[in-house]
Amino acid sequence: MEKVVSGIRPTGNLHLGNYYGAVKSFVKMQDEYDCLFFIADWHSLTTHPKPDDIQNSARTILAEYLACGLNPEKAPIYVQSDVKETLELYLFLNMNTYLGELERVTTFKEKARKQPDNVNAGLLTYPTLMAADILQHRAQKVPVGKDQEQNMEMARRCARRFNNIYGVEFFPEPQNFYFAEKALKVPGLDGSGKMGKSEGNCIYLADDDKTIKKKVMKAVTDMGPQTPNSERPEVIENLFTFLRLCSTPDTFDYFDEKWNDCTLRYGDLKKQIAEDLCKTVAPIRERINEYKANKEQLDRIAREGAERARQSAADTLKEVRRIIGFRVG
């Protein structure tokens, strides 16, 4: 069975984009692959989070993963900082990675532009830490979005270079894993792009009904259809995407017909979207709150996940030390 690894930074609550774009697929993958899921709290240090936020955020993401259907009995869920072996492999990979390669990574250049007063070494070597997260489990596949494709190429380069330097075929070159031919892009409520925390255009899985309705009613629209059967502009097609995600086919067809005959009222459309989104989010939110109320259970799940992940990482690191020439044991 192929091994799959995926992680998420604990920088806030999961939103509908995370849920439909990845987490629903994770739930299916755990039955079809040998999966490990982790919460990348070391990666979050590039933005200097407060100490209290680190553990609280990790527990929040864990509770949300569980509420969405991830089963720790099928796939370990662990916190990155609980697997210390990652750091040693990170060191070895850094020794074989060149400054120019890291400086050319697009995500590094973008982050450096956005935070010019905090261009730290961790930001520069983000790709090699990500490579260590993957290669320590000798994963064959990694679910990624387009923004991580260059980092994945760096992970493959790290694996390939290690194998070439030491004349071995130890690390597989991890491949990008896509859930479908075309990844589902959940739009934001601002009428452009996709849903994302930094854009402030999200509906979170922890949002209550009142908050969801308020956000949806503020969604960007235009003057409305002027010509029968006309093509919908992006801001309106975004609203119809929410109908596709959360409403029945009959509901979608009803509003599609209203658009085509130029009788669509955006207020009615938004009320329907808000109602159906509330029905989708409410049961997930209830489970999130149940898990968050049981801190001991969350810590136990994370601890057990880390034990399984550490065994996988330790087996890899033992062989890496032997290959490089360091004492083993």
Side-chain angles (χ1 to χ4, degrees):
M1 184 179 291
E2 289 184 301
K3 185 171 284 188
V4 176
V5 173
S6 185
I8 186 171
R9 287 179 62 177
T11 54
N13 297 92
L14 295 179
H15 53 70
L16 283 176
N18 302 132
Y19 180 63
Y20 283 106
V23 181
K24 284 192 72 175
S25 296
F26 292 165
V27 174
K28 182 179 180 182
M29 287 165 53
Q30 66 186 355
D31 292 319
E32 301 174 356
Y33 297 91
D34 180 10
C35 295
L36 296 99
F37 301 107
F38 69 95
I39 299 164
D41 56 344
W42 275 329
H43 282 291
S44 71
L45 293 178
T46 58
T47 56
H48 298 163
K50 297 178 181 178
D52 289 344
D53 291 342
I54 293 177
Q55 289 194 29
N56 291 335
S57 295
R59 289 194 185 101
T60 295
I61 295 295
L62 176 55
E64 292 178 336
Y65 263 162
L66 297 170
C68 290
L70 288 186
N71 185 343
E73 297 300 320
K74 296 179 180 179
I77 309 172
Y78 66 95
V79 178
Q80 183 186 35
S81 61
D82 288 338
V83 181
K84 307 300 188 293
E85 288 79 2
T86 310
L87 292 182
E88 187 171 353
L89 184 57
Y90 173 45
L91 170 68
F92 293 148
L93 297 180
N94 275 332
M95 295 300 183
N96 296 332
T97 305
Y98 302 113
L99 178 62
E101 294 174 326
L102 295 170
E103 289 178 331
R104 286 193 295 272
V105 174
T106 302
T107 50
F108 167 71
K109 291 188 286 189
E110 289 178 353
K111 292 288 186 180
R113 177 177 56 80
K114 290 180 179 179
Q115 52 185 67
D117 297 328
N118 183 26
V119 185
N120 54 69
L123 197 63
L124 179 68
T125 59
Y126 189 105
T128 49
L129 180 54
M130 179 174 165
D133 292 322
I134 298 164
L135 298 181
Q136 67 183 344
H137 302 300
R138 302 181 71 193
Q140 286 98 352
K141 293 183 176 180
V142 182
V144 292
K146 278 197 166 296
D147 60 334
Q148 293 295 324
E149 287 181 346
Q150 194 174 18
N151 286 336
M152 280 299 299
E153 180 53 42
M154 286 291 293
R156 286 189 286 273
R157 186 176 298 172
C158 286
R160 190 162 54 245
R161 186 168 290 157
F162 181 92
N163 291 341
N164 290 338
I165 288 174
Y166 297 105
V168 295
E169 292 294 333
F170 181 66
F171 284 122
E173 294 186 26
Q175 300 304 305
N176 300 12
F177 184 93
Y178 300 106
F179 306 121
E181 289 186 9
K182 185 177 180 181
L184 177 63
K185 184 177 80 169
V186 179
L189 295 171
D190 56 357
S192 63
K194 67 177 183 178
M195 191 169 286
K197 297 182 182 74
S198 59
E199 287 76 19
N201 60 8
C202 297
I203 292 176
Y204 293 99
L205 300 181
D207 282 345
D208 58 30
D209 288 355
K210 182 178 179 180
T211 300
I212 292 173
K213 291 175 182 177
K214 185 176 180 180
K215 288 180 177 180
V216 172
M217 296 309 292
K218 289 183 177 180
V220 176
T221 55
D222 62 3
M223 294 179 62
Q226 306 297 310
T227 306
N229 301 306
S230 60
E231 183 178 350
R232 287 188 286 265
E234 183 180 11
V235 291
I236 306 306
E237 187 59 33
N238 285 349
L239 294 178
F240 276 83
T241 296
F242 286 112
L243 284 178
R244 291 188 184 92
L245 292 173
C246 299
S247 305
T248 65
D250 288 347
T251 300
F252 180 90
D253 291 343
Y254 171 81
F255 285 102
D256 186 46
E257 183 178 342
K258 290 292 185 182
W259 169 270
N260 288 327
D261 65 17
C262 298
T263 61
L264 178 63
R265 298 173 58 181
Y266 287 141
D268 294 339
L269 174 61
K270 289 181 178 181
K271 287 178 182 177
Q272 185 67 56
I273 292 172
E275 179 181 334
D276 292 341
L277 284 176
C278 287
K279 290 178 181 178
T280 299
V281 172
I284 300 175
R285 181 180 64 240
E286 291 172 7
R287 291 194 296 270
I288 291 172
N289 291 334
E290 289 173 3
Y291 280 115
K292 288 182 71 174
N294 194 337
K295 178 182 170 182
E296 290 184 3
Q297 181 188 24
L298 291 176
D299 289 348
R300 175 183 58 78
I301 290 172
R303 183 170 61 253
E304 292 174 354
E307 289 172 0
R308 295 166 67 183
R310 287 197 71 180
Q311 184 59 58
S312 172
D315 290 344
T316 298
L317 195 57
K318 180 178 179 180
E319 189 63 15
V320 166
R321 291 178 65 91
R322 186 193 66 77
I323 291 170
I324 294 176
F326 288 106
R327 180 171 58 84
V328 177

